[in-house]
């Protein structure tokens, strides 16, 4: 039977580390508050966000400084020194190298980012261009934190049907560029961060190793749970000074609502995946949940009676990197020897939309 197997993984995070203490010099928060509610101790951010935070921490009037940054950029400059496609490229190059294949040998690229380089063309194409490829099909998924799981499911179908033989699936995020790091944005700014993870999938015949099943869902009736209007036809014109002045450009989140939905949907989709494969928790060697908040993962593990040591977590070091979080965990778990040949790994993610899903694979 033809199936898709992961033959290489990779990740990339920017070098700048922002701990909770630096954030508490910018806004009214504390290491204790953030660790207790989320489990996050530090996160990686782009060089631009890092420079901005160092300046904000020293600024006597933080609101005025942040407003100036939103109005004029940092020191009047609005071009980023690192974009999301740069991170995607770095993670992809590592995955390709580990797979022993070149970008030219890819049949397709599926990329997922919440905040793209540009509204259009999409980041899959930008990434493809950075590889110097001129005809490989490239997709972009906007499934938020669930993007990588949706990408894996799509890639698996392309491979099973025989359309493609080798596909790069990437989840990359540069979320720190969106937030107001004063009190006004503190509910979201402490959670999200930057990073990328990638896998190379290849068609294999026979054997047990490879992707087994995917379970995808979305619920578009709760759009306000987690949303960003940044640019879009929900306003006319799609982008205007008025939109920015009314603060409708920035992301918004109902933290409690997201928390409750996330726990419920994780429970359901893990149950669905296990049932579809006639397995139970004891059959799974490792659970990789999207790293939004350690309390969400603890609640799901408790409800499903998953021993916590069977979960792989790094939210403490990277915060919530949305579409990048599952592939970063997968890469780290592999490198750290947490996944061995023959292991069953169940990955699940939940995010904006809401959109959520689970994928099961045998390593
Ligand atoms: N520091 C200090 N106080 C803060 C901060 C902060 N960074 N952010 C918000 N607060 C304040 C709020 O203003 C509120 O104050 P008020 O009561 O005076 O209005 C208060 O803290 C809320 O405190 P709690 O009720 O204790 O907060 P809660 O336990 O709900 O935790 C949190 C908040 C962490 C946002 C939680 O709801 C959560 O994690 N929700 C899930 C959000 C999430 O994971 N989103 C990620 C995107 S979706 C996904 O990836 C799954």
């Amino acid at each position: 039977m033809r199936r898709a197997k992961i033959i290489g993984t990779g990740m990339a995070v920017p070098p700048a580390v922002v701990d909770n203490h630096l954030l508490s010099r910018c806004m009214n928060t504390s290491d204790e508050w953030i660790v207790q509610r989320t489990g996050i101790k530090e996160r990686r951010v782009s060089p631009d966000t890092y420079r901005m935070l160092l300046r904000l921490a020293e600024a006597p009037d933080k609101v005025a400084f942040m407003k100036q940054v939103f109005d004029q950029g940092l020191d009047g400059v609005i071009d980023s020194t690192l974009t999301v496609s740069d991170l995607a490229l770095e993670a992809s190059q590592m995955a390709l190298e580990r797979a022993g294949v070149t970008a030219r040998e890819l049949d397709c690229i599926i990329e997922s980012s919440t905040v793209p380089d540009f509204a259009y063309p999409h980041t899959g194409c930008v990434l493809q261009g950075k590889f110097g490829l001129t005809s490989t099909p490239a997709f972009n998924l906007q499934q938020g934190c669930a993007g990588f799981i949706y990408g894996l499911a799509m890639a698996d179908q392309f491979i099973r049907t025989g359309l493609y033989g080798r596909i790069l699936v990437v989840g990359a995020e540069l979320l720190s560029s969106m937030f107001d790091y004063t009190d006004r944005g503190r509910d979201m700014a402490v959670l999200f961060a930057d990073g990328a993870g990638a896998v190379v999938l290849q068609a294999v015949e026979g054997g047990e190793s490879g992707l087994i099943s995917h379970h995808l869902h979305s619920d578009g009736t709760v759009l306000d749970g987690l949303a960003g209007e940044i640019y879009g036809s929900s306003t006319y014109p799609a982008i205007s000074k008025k939109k920015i002045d009314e603060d409708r450009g920035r992301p918004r989140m109902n933290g409690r609502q997201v928390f409750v939905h996330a726990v419920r949907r994780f429970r359901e989709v893990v149950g669905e995946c296990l049932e579809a494969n006639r397995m139970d928790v004891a059959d799974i060697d490792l659970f990789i949940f999207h790293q939004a908040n350690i309390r969400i993962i603890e609640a799901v593990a408790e409800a499903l009676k998953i021993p916590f040591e069977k979960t792989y977590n790094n939210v403490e070091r990277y915060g919530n990197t949305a579409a990048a979080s599952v592939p970063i965990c997968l890469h780290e778990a592999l490198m750290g020897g947490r996944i061995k040949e023959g292991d069953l790994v169940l990955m699940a993610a939940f995010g904006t939309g809401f959109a959520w899903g689970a994928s099961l694979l045998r390593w």
Side-chain angles (χ1 to χ4, degrees):
M1 189 183 124
R2 183 178 166 100
R3 60 169 80 219
K5 181 179 171 164
I6 295 176
I7 58 165
T9 63
M11 65 172 277
V13 286
V17 179
V18 171
D19 64 15
N20 295 339
H21 301 288
L22 176 54
L23 291 183
S24 59
R25 288 169 54 211
C26 299
M27 62 182 85
N28 188 8
T29 192
S30 65
D31 180 52
E32 195 191 6
W33 193 96
I34 301 171
V35 172
Q36 260 181 18
R37 306 281 192 307
T38 71
I40 301 167
K41 289 190 176 153
E42 59 186 42
R43 72 283 291 143
R44 303 299 186 95
V45 301
S46 74
D48 305 307
T49 303
Y50 190 59
R51 275 189 303 126
M52 192 282 293
L53 287 173
L54 293 180
R55 298 267 303 278
L56 181 63
E58 297 302 321
D61 184 340
K62 305 207 186 302
V63 172
F65 177 80
M66 197 75 233
K67 182 175 180 318
Q68 191 189 339
V69 172
F70 278 118
D71 282 352
Q72 298 166 20
L74 194 56
D75 298 326
V77 177
I78 60 162
D79 289 316
S80 303
T81 59
L82 180 84
T83 69
V84 70
S85 64
D86 294 331
L87 279 178
L89 180 69
E90 196 183 326
S92 302
Q93 280 169 332
M94 186 189 289
L96 285 165
E97 206 169 292
R98 296 189 58 79
V101 297
T102 66
R104 292 201 181 278
E105 294 172 286
L106 293 170
D107 297 323
C108 178
I109 294 172
I110 301 178
E111 198 275 344
S112 180
S113 310
T114 308
V115 182
D117 281 35
F118 314 109
Y120 53 87
H122 67 77
T123 312
C125 257
V126 179
L127 172 64
Q128 188 220 30
K130 287 188 174 174
F131 274 123
L133 301 172
T134 53
S135 74
T136 313
F139 289 84
N140 175 246
L141 301 180
Q142 270 216 309
Q143 308 299 118
C145 308
F148 179 74
I149 299 289
Y150 268 69
L152 269 191
M154 274 177 67
D156 193 15
Q157 307 320 304
F158 284 145
I159 286 178
R160 280 177 197 258
T161 58
L163 183 62
Y164 300 131
R166 199 174 286 132
I167 303 179
L168 175 71
V169 183
V170 194
E173 301 285 8
L174 209 130
L175 300 167
S176 74
S177 58
M178 279 196 299
F179 298 113
D180 181 332
Y181 284 89
T182 67
D183 288 359
R184 222 160 49 125
R186 66 178 179 171
D187 61 330
M188 295 186 80
V190 302
L191 304 177
F192 294 93
D194 307 335
V199 301
V200 179
L201 288 174
Q202 177 157 298
V204 290
E205 297 288 344
E208 294 229 319
S209 161
L211 298 179
I212 298 172
S213 73
H214 312 278
H215 309 270
L216 307 178
H217 297 278
S218 42
D219 177 357
T221 65
V222 270
L223 297 182
D224 265 357
L226 183 57
E229 280 189 59
I230 302 165
Y231 168 96
S233 62
S234 63
T235 60
Y236 185 84
I239 190 155
S240 63
K241 185 167 182 307
K242 185 170 165 60
K243 187 170 181 175
I244 293 164
D245 288 346
E246 287 180 359
D247 208 21
R248 292 179 60 184
R250 263 193 288 287
R252 55 179 188 271
M253 177 182 80
N254 179 334
R256 292 255 170 97
Q257 191 187 30
V258 172
F259 195 101
V260 170
H261 277 264
V263 172
R264 178 176 146 212
R265 298 310 196 178
F266 272 129
R267 285 173 60 176
E268 287 173 3
V269 81
V270 170
E272 178 188 333
C273 178
L274 292 174
E275 199 181 316
N277 291 286
R278 293 173 195 202
M279 291 177 185
D280 58 38
V281 163
D283 295 309
I284 305 299
D285 297 290
L286 191 68
F287 289 86
I288 296 179
F289 290 106
H290 163 52
Q291 302 290 295
N293 181 324
I294 203 71
R295 286 193 306 148
I296 293 177
I297 298 168
E298 283 167 353
V300 175
E302 194 184 322
L304 293 171
K305 300 195 169 41
I306 298 171
F308 203 65
E309 57 278 12
K310 271 198 178 189
T311 64
Y312 185 87
N313 301 298
N314 58 20
V315 69
E316 180 182 323
R317 285 178 288 130
Y318 299 132
N320 182 346
T321 58
S325 92
V326 169
I328 289 177
C329 280
L330 181 66
H331 177 76
E332 283 197 345
L334 270 169
M335 296 302 107
R338 289 286 304 272
I339 301 174
K340 292 177 280 311
E341 206 179 325
D343 277 0
L344 279 166
V345 181
L346 198 160
M347 300 174 285
F350 173 94
T352 183
F354 296 127
W356 65 100
S359 290
L360 181 68
L361 66 83
R362 187 178 289 283
W363 196 256

